Structures are given as structure tokens and as C-alpha cells.
Amino acid sequence: MNTIFKQIRNLRLNINFQNKSISLFSPLRLKEINETQNKNELIISGHIVNSGREPYLLKNPHPTVCPVCASGLDIKHTDVLILSQFVRTDGCMLPRRTTGLCRRSQKRISTLVAMAQKSGLMPNLTPANSKKDPKKRYGWKKYNKYFDESTIKIR
Amino acid sequence: MSVLKRVQQWATFARIWHLYDAAWQNPFYSAELLKKYLMGAHKPIYHPMNDCGDHVIVINSSDIALPGDEWKKRVYFHHTGYPGGASWTLAWELHKKDPTLVLKKAVYNSMDGNLQRRYTMERLHIFPDANVPSNLLSNISNQIKQLRPKPKRLDEYTEKEIQEFPKLIDLPKNHILR
Ligand SMILES: [Zn+2]
């Protein structure tokens, strides 16, 4: 019985291995998906693009730790030029498998992103249905607010 | 009296006009700063019975900032004196009504309640925006430093500044841009 299971597992591994080696798309490239609508047809096309970050990438002097910890920066919620590197165009935080941060930094950065969004400091990185301008928000939310980074609770 | 001493005498007892930009400043911390200038407590000749306070012009008071959700947590109490005349107003409702009142009340409450307080408040000129009458503006000879820097929004940076800012992470190669 045991041997049969082992064989099946080996077979699966082989299949997986085979699947990995065959790919329909060119793998390991940054992709951009565009949708264009003309008359009755919707054209969805994928483009391989460059992130444009390579020439400005900070060198990580300690490759075993995550880029944020290695940089040694005390990032505040007003540092929108740093925080905007970790969000999508709709302003939502990128997952940890994409950012490659450690658990602590990911948690801290996502809290800082939320603070910056609440302060209205990244109005161009918002969902499509957003009013963009923080002054058009409802009730008390339209007034300026700031946050204290020491209130972020991380173990 | 020499010329130098005479000018020193004028400079000592002249009222100075200060400018303070309240944009993105906490009104309660600003009040602690402004009251020193209004009472003249920053001067070596200060004495409670010495009328040596300065004028302060505060601009952009509609752009003051409160920490976290304090706009909806801070409550202003008023009682008309009649039964059932109590009312509670949230800070953002008061600010909506009059964008100078939160700062004015903060400065007023930061000072001790004595006979001088009303006269000291007369030297505080608050404007909700940067439109100050030119006869007041011509008096200004000093600017008070802001307590916290005014944050710059992401859409106020140019495309080039954002692109050329040092990057902490690069997107992985299998990332799909959205
Ligand atoms: Zn880390």
C-alpha cells in the first residue's frame, strides 16, 4: 500500500515538473493588460512592459533582510513618495508575496498607507469611483487630519 | 540718551506683528505657541501687569488638522441658561459653521481666566484663508515657524520626481500591472 502511494506521489511530482517546464505564455515578465472597446468587439491584449524602477532601485546591503528593514528608514505616513511604491493604481496595498517585505514591515507599511489615504495625501491613487478630492468627502472626513506613527501596534 | 539706546527703547516697547500659517497645524498645540506671543511671555521684560503683548495674524485657519478621528470625538458644550438649553457640538460641525472658531477657542482656553484675557484675545487676528487686509499685512515683521511641516500630496509632485525617487522594491517579474 505504502509503495503505491509513493509511486503516485512520484508520478504527481513528475507531472508537476512537466507542467512547469511547459508554458503557454512567456513566463517571468511584467505584464500589463489593456482593454480596448471598438464598436462591437472588445480587444484584451497583454503587453510585456518594464517596471521602470531598475535604475532607481536602492541597493540592499543586507540581502537576508527585507528592503524596508535594510534601508533603516523611519517611514512616516506623510512620505507618499515611498508609500506609493507599495500600492496599486487603485490605492490598495500590494500583497506580501509581491512586495517581499517581512511580516512586521508589511503590517507597518499597510497601516501607513491607510493613514496616508485617510489624510488624503494620495488622492490620485484611489478607486475609479472615488471623488479624488479629499475636500469632497462626507461629513467630518473632509477636514485635514494627521496621524501619530507611535500608535501603530505591532508586536 | 544715545541714538542706539533710543532705538533699543522703541524696539523693546513696540508691538510686533507676527504671521502664523495654520495649515495642517494642530490648533491646540498652536495655541500654546501663540499665547506666548500674544501675552508677550517671550520677552525678557514680561510681567503680567506689563502690557507688552504682540499681535498675531493667523492665516489658513480652515486648513487646521486634528489627529486621527478627533474631528468627530471632540465636543464643544454650550448652555443657553434655560432649562433644556444644553447643546453639544462636534468639532467638525463647529469648524463647518465658522472655520476660525476651533483655533480661537483653543487659544482662549489655553490662557488663564483673568481680566487680561479678553484684551489679549483682541490681538489675535484669525483668517480662514490667506486673504488678509493689506493694512494688517503691512504691519507684519516676523513669521512664527510651523510646529509640523505641511505634508505634500502625491499629486503635487511632478511625474519626473515620482519616477526618479529612489525605489525600495521592484515589482516581481510575474506581476500583472493593474
Ligand atoms: Zn523586514
Side-chain angles (χ1 to χ4, degrees):
Chain A
M1 202 61 185
N2 226 351
T3 49
I4 294 167
F5 274 132
K6 238 175 210 171
Q7 274 175 348
I8 291 170
R9 204 182 294 146
N10 278 341
L11 202 68
R12 253 195 214 148
L13 277 174
N14 283 337
I15 291 164
N16 279 344
F17 183 71
Q18 276 171 0
N19 277 352
K20 233 173 204 172
S21 60
I22 300 165
S23 170
L24 292 174
F25 305 102
S26 88
L28 309 177
R29 286 284 168 83
L30 205 60
K31 289 188 214 73
E32 185 178 48
I33 292 174
N34 291 332
E35 287 183 19
T36 37
Q37 178 94 44
N38 20 325
K39 282 178 190 167
N40 288 333
E41 56 179 353
L42 176 70
I43 303 167
I44 298 174
S45 53
H47 296 284
I48 293 159
V49 291
N50 216 324
S51 76
R53 294 189 182 191
E54 287 87 7
Y56 310 107
L57 204 60
L58 274 186
K59 202 173 177 296
N60 189 346
H62 313 287
T64 50
V65 295
C66 78
V68 169
C69 293
S71 71
L73 293 171
D74 180 20
I75 302 174
K76 309 278 186 204
H77 76 285
T78 49
D79 301 330
V80 284
L81 286 176
I82 298 175
L83 296 178
S84 61
Q85 299 171 18
F86 298 96
V87 294
R88 293 203 180 96
T89 50
D90 65 349
C92 90
M93 183 76 187
L94 289 167
R96 198 153 79 91
R97 63 174 183 274
T98 309
T99 57
L101 302 183
C102 65
R103 217 175 278 275
R104 261 179 81 95
S105 294
Q106 176 78 10
K107 185 97 180 163
R108 187 179 157 81
I109 293 286
S110 48
T111 314
L112 290 173
V113 165
M115 286 175 168
Q117 297 281 25
K118 284 176 184 174
S119 301
L121 297 177
M122 297 198 287
N124 46 349
L125 296 179
T126 39
N129 62 352
S130 160
K131 289 177 197 142
K132 304 281 178 191
D133 186 7
K135 297 267 187 237
K136 287 182 185 167
R137 286 179 186 171
Y138 181 75
W140 68 279
K141 292 173 188 161
K142 66 168 70 112
Y143 302 107
N144 289 345
K145 54 190 109 28
Y146 68 91
F147 292 90
D148 184 6
E149 282 81 11
S150 67
T151 57
I152 301 172
K153 287 191 190 68
I154 302 173
R155 289 184 288 113
Chain B
M1 191 182 261
S2 71
V3 176
L4 183 72
K5 280 284 176 194
R6 199 164 65 194
V7 172
Q8 194 184 26
Q9 180 83 358
W10 289 341
T12 306
F13 291 101
R15 289 204 199 276
I16 300 170
W17 287 63
H18 305 270
L19 180 73
Y20 184 70
D21 184 3
W24 287 92
Q25 305 303 304
N26 186 319
F28 305 100
Y29 297 147
S30 302
E32 293 296 320
L33 174 73
L34 297 182
K35 82 173 194 195
K36 285 184 207 155
Y37 289 91
L38 292 168
M39 289 160 46
H42 64 303
K43 296 180 180 181
I45 59 166
Y46 172 73
H47 186 269
M49 294 183 74
N50 180 4
D51 186 16
C52 63
D54 287 346
H55 288 260
V56 177
I57 294 178
V58 180
I59 57 169
N60 296 329
S61 76
S62 62
D63 291 337
I64 54 170
L66 289 185
D69 56 357
E70 204 176 309
W71 280 116
K72 64 166 182 178
K73 297 284 182 193
R74 184 173 282 272
V75 182
Y76 288 88
F77 176 74
H78 177 70
H79 202 293
T80 60
Y82 290 98
S87 69
W88 289 265
T89 313
L90 300 179
W92 72 269
E93 290 169 339
L94 187 73
H95 194 63
K96 191 178 170 189
K97 200 98 178 159
D98 184 353
T100 63
L101 265 185
V102 173
L103 188 67
K104 189 180 173 183
K105 280 174 172 288
V107 175
Y108 186 82
N109 289 329
S110 72
M111 291 189 287
D112 292 337
N114 52 29
L115 290 175
Q116 277 303 309
R117 177 156 69 162
R118 299 286 177 140
Y119 299 106
T120 309
M121 285 302 290
E122 291 285 298
R123 281 181 236 119
L124 178 66
H125 314 273
I126 308 178
F127 296 93
D129 44 25
N131 297 328
V132 186
S134 56
N135 59 334
L136 295 188
L137 212 55
S138 58
N139 294 328
I140 292 169
S141 58
N142 182 37
Q143 183 177 4
I144 302 171
K145 197 184 172 216
Q146 288 185 314
L147 291 171
R148 55 201 328 277
K150 187 185 171 191
K152 198 171 174 182
R153 275 163 40 165
L154 188 62
D155 57 342
E156 290 167 356
Y157 289 99
T158 60
E159 199 70 37
K160 191 164 174 281
E161 278 177 313
I162 295 171
Q163 201 210 338
E164 293 187 352
F165 191 80
K167 297 285 182 289
L168 280 174
I169 56 158
D170 198 2
L171 296 171
K173 294 295 177 198
N174 56 358
H175 182 68
I176 296 172
L177 288 172
R178 273 200 278 152

